[in-house]
Amino acid sequence: IRTNNIPSLKDMTTGEYLTADLDAFYFLRLAEILDANGTYPEYDAMRYPLLKLPFSNELLPSVLVFLHKVLSPFSDKMTLRYVDVIYPVIFFALSMVVFFFLVLKLTKSKLVALLSSFFLAIIPSYLFRTMAGVSDHEPLGMFAFFLALLSFAISMESVFSFSSYILQL
């Protein structure tokens, strides 16, 4: 479901991939500048050029450039625009793995973790935010949120086991 729209995201005139979301063009532009130059210029000439505002400090363009550098050795056709299109699906898969282990850690039941992951995967609002072409902060944010919760659950378990060990002494 998440990747069915990839062929329709290809521009017929240029052959390049386009995002399905208008806000994603801003992040793609920042990623293209970062990929070409390695850093941002002093100010963003496309954002209120007379005010000479600096570039915004966004994490998503850096993640897109990193993914491009990691995935480009696997295929010559792996452009930054294609990475921008498939980035939500990649982070959906990563977040599903982390979410599964989070629920497994909390419930100690593989069946509950599997069902919870399945329900999260088919929720319409989460489905839209993790579809190919909708390249915004949500897939990265949900992955980081689930990872933070999993880290917290693991650390709380080790704190409680350590405190029970201390109490036994």
Side-chain angles (χ1 to χ4, degrees), residues 8-95:
S8 63
L9 294 172
K10 200 167 197 178
D11 188 3
M12 292 178 11
T13 57
T14 63
E16 293 183 359
Y17 287 95
L18 300 172
T19 60
D21 186 20
L22 290 177
D23 292 340
F25 281 106
Y26 174 67
F27 301 122
L28 177 61
R29 181 175 69 87
L30 292 180
E32 286 174 341
I33 291 171
L34 195 60
D35 191 38
N37 302 333
T39 185
Y40 295 122
E42 186 178 344
Y43 68 93
D44 191 354
M46 294 183 78
R47 267 182 73 216
Y48 307 110
L50 295 177
L51 294 178
K52 296 191 178 197
L53 296 174
F55 277 88
S56 59
N57 194 10
E58 296 283 344
L59 179 64
L60 183 57
S62 300
V63 169
L64 291 175
V65 170
F66 174 75
L67 275 177
H68 179 248
K69 288 181 181 179
V70 167
L71 297 176
S72 60
F74 297 111
S75 173
D76 294 336
K77 297 178 183 179
M78 191 70 62
T79 63
L80 185 62
R81 286 181 176 259
Y82 184 69
V83 170
D84 184 49
V85 166
I86 65 167
Y87 136 80
V89 179
I90 293 170
F91 272 90
F92 162 74
L94 293 174
S95 65

Side-chain angles (χ1 to χ4, degrees), residues 120-137:
L120 180 64
I122 63 170
I123 290 175
S125 59
Y126 193 64
L127 178 67
F128 170 72
R129 286 175 172 80
T130 56
M131 275 180 50
V134 184
S135 181
D136 213 343
H137 291 111

